[in-house]
Amino acid sequence: MFSILPRVLVIQSNTKCGYVPRSFVIGKRLAQCLHPALPAGVHCKALECYDVIFRTIGPERVAYDLYVYGPGLFALLEPSAMTVKSPLFDIYEEHLLPLGKLLHPSFLGLLKGLLPGLEPGAEFSERGNRMLEMFSSSVGSAFFYTCLWELLIRCPSIRQYGISFILNHLNKRKSLDSQSYIYGLDKNILVESLCCLFGDSVLLVQRDALDFILLALPIHFYSKTTERNPFQFITNKSLTVKDFAMLCTASLSILLRRDASLNRRLFIWLKGSQSVEGMVVDSLDNQSMTWADIVMDKVDDKHVLVSYS
């Protein structure tokens, strides 16, 4: 298995050919060299081989052959040593980031591999967050968040990283329609993902999910609106009463935890009872507002003016 590494490096002296023979075998052997049980030195040497191959075949061929070389790379970040993470990020940034929308077919796997880079307190967390932001711009923000919501359904192990990233990138000072990309392109994936988050076994995941819907999906605002659906900007198909009924049903399982902080967030979402000071609503001075009123930027069709003291 290890004997293939020096052989691959020989390609470096023949870069003009733009072709790597027996790519399936090479991709398989390189993925084996990235096994978590192997030492960091082997991982670094394998990453050198990936770098040589990608430089040789060029970006278009990299995008085409990513199903061959991707499985080994995408699974490396979480179990790798600190000395391996930096060259791995370099490969992502130099060879994969410029591919842009050519990454769409394999982006779910790439995103799943990058999310562990958001581990709180880790030395590489800032670079991991910056890398995700760059990939979001590269592949398109709406597509990026669609894949992220889908991963939250499929992969419980990365839910905490994913929902934290979404929550941290929801700008509370901007209206929701200017950030509609954060809901993704498919409302069914969004609703199913939130239902999965409500039923997760990790308390922090449930808490972040409730914080998200408090800001981005205020249900009591929907119930007060009769003339139009205030969430029609989310996707091409707006959220319906049935969708909110599914969210309500799933969220009630949180009560079984008997956690005061979770219950408080849930009741605020359902009833909209949290007041926010320092807000002025046209002529309704000194009257309180809910979080839903703020994020939707309107109260009874009257624009909200924020006063900063």
Short mmCIF file of all heavy atoms in Angstrom, two decimals, residues 56-109:
data_model
loop_
_atom_site.label_atom_id
_atom_site.label_comp_id
_atom_site.label_asym_id
_atom_site.label_seq_id
_atom_site.Cartn_x
_atom_site.Cartn_y
_atom_site.Cartn_z
N THR A 56 -1.35 17.91 -11.98
CA THR A 56 -1.09 17.26 -13.26
C THR A 56 -2.32 17.21 -14.15
O THR A 56 -2.25 17.52 -15.35
CB THR A 56 -0.57 15.83 -13.03
OG1 THR A 56 0.63 15.87 -12.25
CG2 THR A 56 -0.30 15.12 -14.35
N ILE A 57 -3.45 16.85 -13.58
CA ILE A 57 -4.65 16.63 -14.41
C ILE A 57 -5.44 17.90 -14.66
O ILE A 57 -6.28 17.94 -15.57
CB ILE A 57 -5.55 15.55 -13.79
CG1 ILE A 57 -6.09 16.00 -12.43
CG2 ILE A 57 -4.80 14.24 -13.65
CD1 ILE A 57 -7.01 14.99 -11.76
N GLY A 58 -5.23 18.95 -13.88
CA GLY A 58 -5.93 20.21 -14.12
C GLY A 58 -7.30 20.26 -13.49
O GLY A 58 -7.88 19.21 -13.13
N PRO A 59 -7.87 21.45 -13.34
CA PRO A 59 -9.13 21.62 -12.60
C PRO A 59 -10.33 20.91 -13.20
O PRO A 59 -11.15 20.36 -12.47
CB PRO A 59 -9.33 23.15 -12.59
CG PRO A 59 -8.47 23.67 -13.69
CD PRO A 59 -7.31 22.74 -13.79
N GLU A 60 -10.46 20.91 -14.52
CA GLU A 60 -11.62 20.26 -15.13
C GLU A 60 -11.62 18.76 -14.86
O GLU A 60 -12.65 18.16 -14.56
CB GLU A 60 -11.65 20.54 -16.63
CG GLU A 60 -11.93 22.00 -16.97
CD GLU A 60 -12.09 22.21 -18.46
OE1 GLU A 60 -12.05 21.20 -19.21
OE2 GLU A 60 -12.27 23.37 -18.88
N ARG A 61 -10.45 18.16 -14.97
CA ARG A 61 -10.35 16.73 -14.71
C ARG A 61 -10.49 16.42 -13.23
O ARG A 61 -11.01 15.36 -12.85
CB ARG A 61 -9.00 16.21 -15.22
CG ARG A 61 -8.89 14.69 -15.23
CD ARG A 61 -9.81 14.08 -16.28
NE ARG A 61 -9.89 12.64 -16.15
CZ ARG A 61 -10.57 11.85 -16.99
NH1 ARG A 61 -11.21 12.38 -18.02
NH2 ARG A 61 -10.61 10.55 -16.81
N VAL A 62 -10.05 17.35 -12.38
CA VAL A 62 -10.23 17.17 -10.93
C VAL A 62 -11.72 17.08 -10.61
O VAL A 62 -12.16 16.22 -9.84
CB VAL A 62 -9.58 18.33 -10.15
CG1 VAL A 62 -10.00 18.28 -8.68
CG2 VAL A 62 -8.06 18.24 -10.24
N ALA A 63 -12.50 17.98 -11.20
CA ALA A 63 -13.95 17.96 -10.96
C ALA A 63 -14.57 16.66 -11.45
O ALA A 63 -15.46 16.10 -10.80
CB ALA A 63 -14.60 19.16 -11.64
N TYR A 64 -14.10 16.16 -12.58
CA TYR A 64 -14.64 14.93 -13.15
C TYR A 64 -14.25 13.71 -12.32
O TYR A 64 -15.05 12.78 -12.14
CB TYR A 64 -14.14 14.77 -14.58
CG TYR A 64 -14.68 13.54 -15.29
CD1 TYR A 64 -15.97 13.54 -15.83
CD2 TYR A 64 -13.91 12.39 -15.40
CE1 TYR A 64 -16.46 12.41 -16.46
CE2 TYR A 64 -14.39 11.26 -16.04
CZ TYR A 64 -15.67 11.28 -16.57
OH TYR A 64 -16.17 10.16 -17.19
N ASP A 65 -13.02 13.70 -11.80
CA ASP A 65 -12.51 12.53 -11.07
C ASP A 65 -12.66 12.66 -9.56
O ASP A 65 -12.08 11.87 -8.81
CB ASP A 65 -11.02 12.33 -11.38
CG ASP A 65 -10.80 11.74 -12.76
OD1 ASP A 65 -11.79 11.25 -13.36
OD2 ASP A 65 -9.65 11.75 -13.24
N LEU A 66 -13.44 13.62 -9.10
CA LEU A 66 -13.54 13.83 -7.66
C LEU A 66 -14.20 12.65 -6.96
O LEU A 66 -13.94 12.41 -5.78
CB LEU A 66 -14.32 15.12 -7.38
CG LEU A 66 -14.05 15.79 -6.03
CD1 LEU A 66 -12.56 16.03 -5.83
CD2 LEU A 66 -14.81 17.11 -5.92
N TYR A 67 -15.01 11.91 -7.67
CA TYR A 67 -15.61 10.71 -7.06
C TYR A 67 -14.56 9.63 -6.82
O TYR A 67 -14.78 8.71 -6.02
CB TYR A 67 -16.73 10.17 -7.96
CG TYR A 67 -16.26 9.52 -9.24
CD1 TYR A 67 -16.15 8.14 -9.35
CD2 TYR A 67 -15.92 10.29 -10.35
CE1 TYR A 67 -15.73 7.54 -10.53
CE2 TYR A 67 -15.49 9.71 -11.53
CZ TYR A 67 -15.40 8.34 -11.61
OH TYR A 67 -14.97 7.75 -12.78
N VAL A 68 -13.41 9.75 -7.48
CA VAL A 68 -12.32 8.80 -7.28
C VAL A 68 -11.44 9.23 -6.11
O VAL A 68 -11.10 8.42 -5.24
CB VAL A 68 -11.46 8.67 -8.56
CG1 VAL A 68 -10.26 7.75 -8.31
CG2 VAL A 68 -12.30 8.16 -9.72
N TYR A 69 -11.08 10.51 -6.08
CA TYR A 69 -10.13 11.00 -5.07
C TYR A 69 -10.82 11.59 -3.84
O TYR A 69 -10.19 11.75 -2.80
CB TYR A 69 -9.22 12.06 -5.70
CG TYR A 69 -8.44 11.56 -6.89
CD1 TYR A 69 -8.75 12.00 -8.18
CD2 TYR A 69 -7.41 10.65 -6.73
CE1 TYR A 69 -8.04 11.54 -9.28
CE2 TYR A 69 -6.69 10.18 -7.82
CZ TYR A 69 -7.01 10.63 -9.10
OH TYR A 69 -6.31 10.16 -10.18
N GLY A 70 -12.10 11.92 -3.96
CA GLY A 70 -12.79 12.58 -2.87
C GLY A 70 -13.00 11.76 -1.61
O GLY A 70 -12.80 12.28 -0.50
N PRO A 71 -13.40 10.49 -1.70
CA PRO A 71 -13.70 9.73 -0.48
C PRO A 71 -12.58 9.72 0.54
O PRO A 71 -12.84 9.80 1.75
CB PRO A 71 -13.99 8.32 -1.02
CG PRO A 71 -14.52 8.55 -2.40
CD PRO A 71 -13.76 9.73 -2.92
N GLY A 72 -11.35 9.63 0.09
CA GLY A 72 -10.24 9.65 1.04
C GLY A 72 -10.03 11.02 1.66
O GLY A 72 -9.84 11.14 2.88
N LEU A 73 -10.10 12.06 0.84
CA LEU A 73 -9.87 13.42 1.33
C LEU A 73 -10.97 13.89 2.27
O LEU A 73 -10.71 14.48 3.32
CB LEU A 73 -9.78 14.39 0.15
CG LEU A 73 -8.46 14.47 -0.61
CD1 LEU A 73 -8.60 15.39 -1.80
CD2 LEU A 73 -7.34 14.95 0.29
N PHE A 74 -12.22 13.64 1.90
CA PHE A 74 -13.34 14.20 2.64
C PHE A 74 -13.45 13.65 4.06
O PHE A 74 -14.00 14.32 4.93
CB PHE A 74 -14.65 13.94 1.89
CG PHE A 74 -14.71 14.58 0.52
CD1 PHE A 74 -15.61 14.14 -0.43
CD2 PHE A 74 -13.86 15.63 0.20
CE1 PHE A 74 -15.67 14.73 -1.68
CE2 PHE A 74 -13.91 16.23 -1.05
CZ PHE A 74 -14.81 15.77 -2.00
N ALA A 75 -12.94 12.45 4.28
CA ALA A 75 -13.08 11.84 5.61
C ALA A 75 -11.88 12.09 6.51
O ALA A 75 -11.84 11.59 7.63
CB ALA A 75 -13.28 10.33 5.45
N LEU A 76 -10.92 12.88 6.05
CA LEU A 76 -9.65 12.99 6.77
C LEU A 76 -9.64 14.06 7.86
O LEU A 76 -8.96 13.90 8.88
CB LEU A 76 -8.52 13.28 5.77
CG LEU A 76 -7.11 13.42 6.36
CD1 LEU A 76 -6.68 12.13 7.05
CD2 LEU A 76 -6.11 13.80 5.27
N LEU A 77 -10.38 15.13 7.70
CA LEU A 77 -10.21 16.29 8.58
C LEU A 77 -10.45 15.97 10.05
O LEU A 77 -9.65 16.33 10.91
CB LEU A 77 -11.15 17.42 8.13
CG LEU A 77 -11.04 18.72 8.93
CD1 LEU A 77 -9.64 19.30 8.82
CD2 LEU A 77 -12.08 19.73 8.45
N GLU A 78 -11.54 15.29 10.35
CA GLU A 78 -11.89 15.07 11.76
C GLU A 78 -10.88 14.20 12.51
O GLU A 78 -10.45 14.56 13.61
CB GLU A 78 -13.29 14.46 11.86
CG GLU A 78 -13.78 14.32 13.29
CD GLU A 78 -15.23 13.87 13.36
OE1 GLU A 78 -15.74 13.37 12.34
OE2 GLU A 78 -15.85 14.03 14.42
N PRO A 79 -10.43 13.06 11.97
CA PRO A 79 -9.52 12.21 12.75
C PRO A 79 -8.05 12.56 12.61
O PRO A 79 -7.21 11.95 13.27
CB PRO A 79 -9.79 10.82 12.18
CG PRO A 79 -10.12 11.06 10.75
CD PRO A 79 -10.85 12.38 10.72
N SER A 80 -7.71 13.53 11.77
CA SER A 80 -6.30 13.78 11.47
C SER A 80 -5.62 14.59 12.57
O SER A 80 -6.27 15.29 13.35
CB SER A 80 -6.17 14.52 10.14
OG SER A 80 -6.81 15.78 10.21
N ALA A 81 -4.29 14.51 12.59
CA ALA A 81 -3.50 15.28 13.55
C ALA A 81 -3.39 16.73 13.10
O ALA A 81 -3.68 17.07 11.94
CB ALA A 81 -2.11 14.66 13.67
N MET A 82 -2.95 17.60 14.00
CA MET A 82 -2.85 19.02 13.69
C MET A 82 -1.88 19.28 12.54
O MET A 82 -2.09 20.19 11.74
CB MET A 82 -2.40 19.79 14.93
CG MET A 82 -3.46 19.92 16.00
SD MET A 82 -4.94 20.78 15.42
CE MET A 82 -4.24 22.34 14.90
N THR A 83 -0.82 18.49 12.44
CA THR A 83 0.16 18.69 11.38
C THR A 83 -0.41 18.35 10.00
O THR A 83 0.14 18.76 8.98
CB THR A 83 1.40 17.82 11.63
OG1 THR A 83 1.00 16.45 11.79
CG2 THR A 83 2.13 18.28 12.88
N VAL A 84 -1.51 17.62 9.98
CA VAL A 84 -2.12 17.20 8.71
C VAL A 84 -3.18 18.20 8.26
O VAL A 84 -3.40 18.37 7.05
CB VAL A 84 -2.74 15.80 8.86
CG1 VAL A 84 -3.41 15.35 7.56
CG2 VAL A 84 -1.68 14.80 9.28
N LYS A 85 -3.81 18.87 9.19
CA LYS A 85 -4.95 19.73 8.85
C LYS A 85 -4.55 20.89 7.95
O LYS A 85 -5.28 21.26 7.04
CB LYS A 85 -5.61 20.24 10.13
CG LYS A 85 -6.22 19.12 10.99
CD LYS A 85 -6.96 19.68 12.18
CE LYS A 85 -7.36 18.57 13.15
NZ LYS A 85 -8.26 17.57 12.54
N SER A 86 -3.40 21.48 8.21
CA SER A 86 -2.99 22.63 7.41
C SER A 86 -2.79 22.28 5.93
O SER A 86 -3.35 22.94 5.05
CB SER A 86 -1.72 23.25 7.99
OG SER A 86 -1.32 24.38 7.25
N PRO A 87 -2.00 21.23 5.59
CA PRO A 87 -1.89 20.87 4.17
C PRO A 87 -3.21 20.40 3.56
O PRO A 87 -3.44 20.59 2.36
CB PRO A 87 -0.84 19.75 4.15
CG PRO A 87 -0.76 19.25 5.55
CD PRO A 87 -1.09 20.41 6.42
N LEU A 88 -4.08 19.82 4.39
CA LEU A 88 -5.39 19.41 3.88
C LEU A 88 -6.22 20.63 3.49
O LEU A 88 -6.84 20.67 2.42
CB LEU A 88 -6.12 18.57 4.93
CG LEU A 88 -7.53 18.09 4.55
CD1 LEU A 88 -7.50 17.25 3.28
CD2 LEU A 88 -8.16 17.30 5.70
N PHE A 89 -6.24 21.64 4.36
CA PHE A 89 -6.95 22.88 4.03
C PHE A 89 -6.34 23.53 2.78
O PHE A 89 -7.06 24.13 1.97
CB PHE A 89 -6.89 23.85 5.20
CG PHE A 89 -7.94 23.60 6.26
CD1 PHE A 89 -7.59 23.48 7.59
CD2 PHE A 89 -9.28 23.50 5.92
CE1 PHE A 89 -8.55 23.26 8.57
CE2 PHE A 89 -10.25 23.27 6.88
CZ PHE A 89 -9.88 23.15 8.21
N ASP A 90 -5.02 23.43 2.64
CA ASP A 90 -4.37 24.01 1.45
C ASP A 90 -4.87 23.35 0.17
O ASP A 90 -5.09 24.03 -0.84
CB ASP A 90 -2.85 23.85 1.56
CG ASP A 90 -2.25 24.72 2.65
OD1 ASP A 90 -2.90 25.71 3.04
OD2 ASP A 90 -1.13 24.41 3.12
N ILE A 91 -5.06 22.04 0.21
CA ILE A 91 -5.57 21.33 -0.97
C ILE A 91 -7.00 21.76 -1.28
O ILE A 91 -7.36 22.01 -2.44
CB ILE A 91 -5.49 19.81 -0.75
CG1 ILE A 91 -4.03 19.35 -0.81
CG2 ILE A 91 -6.32 19.06 -1.79
CD1 ILE A 91 -3.84 17.88 -0.59
N TYR A 92 -7.82 21.86 -0.23
CA TYR A 92 -9.19 22.34 -0.43
C TYR A 92 -9.19 23.72 -1.09
O TYR A 92 -9.93 23.99 -2.04
CB TYR A 92 -9.92 22.43 0.91
CG TYR A 92 -10.52 21.12 1.40
CD1 TYR A 92 -10.16 20.59 2.63
CD2 TYR A 92 -11.46 20.45 0.63
CE1 TYR A 92 -10.72 19.40 3.09
CE2 TYR A 92 -12.02 19.27 1.08
CZ TYR A 92 -11.65 18.75 2.31
OH TYR A 92 -12.21 17.57 2.74
N GLU A 93 -8.36 24.59 -0.56
CA GLU A 93 -8.37 25.99 -1.00
C GLU A 93 -7.77 26.15 -2.39
O GLU A 93 -8.27 26.94 -3.20
CB GLU A 93 -7.61 26.84 0.01
CG GLU A 93 -7.75 28.34 -0.22
CD GLU A 93 -7.23 29.15 0.94
OE1 GLU A 93 -6.90 28.56 2.00
OE2 GLU A 93 -7.14 30.39 0.81
N GLU A 94 -6.72 25.41 -2.68
CA GLU A 94 -6.01 25.60 -3.95
C GLU A 94 -6.65 24.85 -5.10
O GLU A 94 -6.71 25.37 -6.23
CB GLU A 94 -4.55 25.16 -3.79
CG GLU A 94 -3.71 25.40 -5.03
CD GLU A 94 -2.24 25.06 -4.82
OE1 GLU A 94 -1.86 24.77 -3.66
OE2 GLU A 94 -1.48 25.09 -5.81
N HIS A 95 -7.14 23.64 -4.85
CA HIS A 95 -7.60 22.79 -5.95
C HIS A 95 -9.12 22.64 -6.04
O HIS A 95 -9.65 22.46 -7.14
CB HIS A 95 -6.97 21.40 -5.82
CG HIS A 95 -5.48 21.40 -5.91
ND1 HIS A 95 -4.80 21.71 -7.07
CD2 HIS A 95 -4.53 21.14 -4.97
CE1 HIS A 95 -3.49 21.63 -6.85
NE2 HIS A 95 -3.31 21.29 -5.59
N LEU A 96 -9.83 22.68 -4.92
CA LEU A 96 -11.27 22.43 -4.95
C LEU A 96 -12.10 23.71 -4.95
O LEU A 96 -13.12 23.78 -5.63
CB LEU A 96 -11.67 21.55 -3.75
CG LEU A 96 -10.97 20.19 -3.66
CD1 LEU A 96 -11.54 19.37 -2.52
CD2 LEU A 96 -11.09 19.42 -4.97
N LEU A 97 -11.68 24.69 -4.20
CA LEU A 97 -12.44 25.93 -4.12
C LEU A 97 -12.65 26.60 -5.48
O LEU A 97 -13.75 27.08 -5.77
CB LEU A 97 -11.75 26.88 -3.14
CG LEU A 97 -12.50 28.18 -2.80
CD1 LEU A 97 -13.84 27.87 -2.13
CD2 LEU A 97 -11.65 29.05 -1.87
N PRO A 98 -11.64 26.65 -6.35
CA PRO A 98 -11.84 27.31 -7.65
C PRO A 98 -12.81 26.59 -8.59
O PRO A 98 -13.21 27.17 -9.61
CB PRO A 98 -10.43 27.33 -8.27
CG PRO A 98 -9.49 27.16 -7.12
CD PRO A 98 -10.22 26.28 -6.16
N LEU A 99 -13.20 25.37 -8.26
CA LEU A 99 -14.08 24.61 -9.16
C LEU A 99 -15.49 25.18 -9.19
O LEU A 99 -16.24 24.95 -10.14
CB LEU A 99 -14.11 23.14 -8.74
CG LEU A 99 -12.78 22.39 -8.82
CD1 LEU A 99 -12.96 20.94 -8.40
CD2 LEU A 99 -12.19 22.46 -10.22
N GLY A 100 -15.89 25.88 -8.14
CA GLY A 100 -17.20 26.52 -8.13
C GLY A 100 -18.34 25.54 -8.28
O GLY A 100 -18.42 24.53 -7.58
N LYS A 101 -19.22 25.80 -9.24
CA LYS A 101 -20.42 24.98 -9.40
C LYS A 101 -20.13 23.60 -9.95
O LYS A 101 -21.02 22.74 -9.95
CB LYS A 101 -21.42 25.71 -10.30
CG LYS A 101 -21.96 26.99 -9.67
CD LYS A 101 -23.03 27.65 -10.51
CE LYS A 101 -23.57 28.89 -9.81
NZ LYS A 101 -24.62 29.57 -10.60
N LEU A 102 -18.91 23.36 -10.40
CA LEU A 102 -18.54 22.00 -10.82
C LEU A 102 -18.50 21.05 -9.62
O LEU A 102 -18.49 19.83 -9.80
CB LEU A 102 -17.17 22.02 -11.50
CG LEU A 102 -17.08 22.75 -12.85
CD1 LEU A 102 -15.64 22.77 -13.35
CD2 LEU A 102 -18.00 22.10 -13.88
N LEU A 103 -18.51 21.60 -8.42
CA LEU A 103 -18.50 20.77 -7.21
C LEU A 103 -19.88 20.24 -6.83
O LEU A 103 -19.98 19.41 -5.93
CB LEU A 103 -17.96 21.59 -6.02
CG LEU A 103 -16.47 21.91 -6.01
CD1 LEU A 103 -16.16 22.89 -4.89
CD2 LEU A 103 -15.65 20.65 -5.83
N HIS A 104 -20.92 20.71 -7.48
CA HIS A 104 -22.28 20.35 -7.06
C HIS A 104 -22.51 18.85 -6.92
O HIS A 104 -23.10 18.41 -5.92
CB HIS A 104 -23.30 20.95 -8.05
CG HIS A 104 -23.54 22.41 -7.80
ND1 HIS A 104 -24.63 23.09 -8.31
CD2 HIS A 104 -22.84 23.33 -7.10
CE1 HIS A 104 -24.59 24.36 -7.93
NE2 HIS A 104 -23.50 24.53 -7.20
N PRO A 105 -22.08 18.00 -7.87
CA PRO A 105 -22.38 16.56 -7.72
C PRO A 105 -21.76 15.93 -6.48
O PRO A 105 -22.31 14.96 -5.95
CB PRO A 105 -21.78 15.96 -9.01
CG PRO A 105 -21.74 17.09 -9.98
CD PRO A 105 -21.44 18.30 -9.16
N SER A 106 -20.63 16.43 -6.02
CA SER A 106 -19.94 15.80 -4.89
C SER A 106 -19.91 16.70 -3.65
O SER A 106 -19.18 16.42 -2.70
CB SER A 106 -18.50 15.46 -5.29
OG SER A 106 -17.82 16.60 -5.78
N PHE A 107 -20.74 17.74 -3.65
CA PHE A 107 -20.60 18.73 -2.58
C PHE A 107 -21.09 18.22 -1.23
O PHE A 107 -20.60 18.66 -0.19
CB PHE A 107 -21.34 20.01 -2.95
CG PHE A 107 -21.02 21.16 -2.03
CD1 PHE A 107 -19.77 21.73 -2.04
CD2 PHE A 107 -21.97 21.64 -1.14
CE1 PHE A 107 -19.45 22.77 -1.19
CE2 PHE A 107 -21.67 22.68 -0.28
CZ PHE A 107 -20.40 23.25 -0.30
N LEU A 108 -22.05 17.32 -1.21
CA LEU A 108 -22.52 16.79 0.07
C LEU A 108 -21.37 16.12 0.84
O LEU A 108 -21.21 16.34 2.05
CB LEU A 108 -23.65 15.79 -0.15
CG LEU A 108 -25.07 16.35 -0.28
CD1 LEU A 108 -26.05 15.23 -0.61
CD2 LEU A 108 -25.49 17.04 1.00
N GLY A 109 -20.58 15.32 0.14
CA GLY A 109 -19.46 14.66 0.79
C GLY A 109 -18.39 15.64 1.24
O GLY A 109 -17.83 15.52 2.33
#
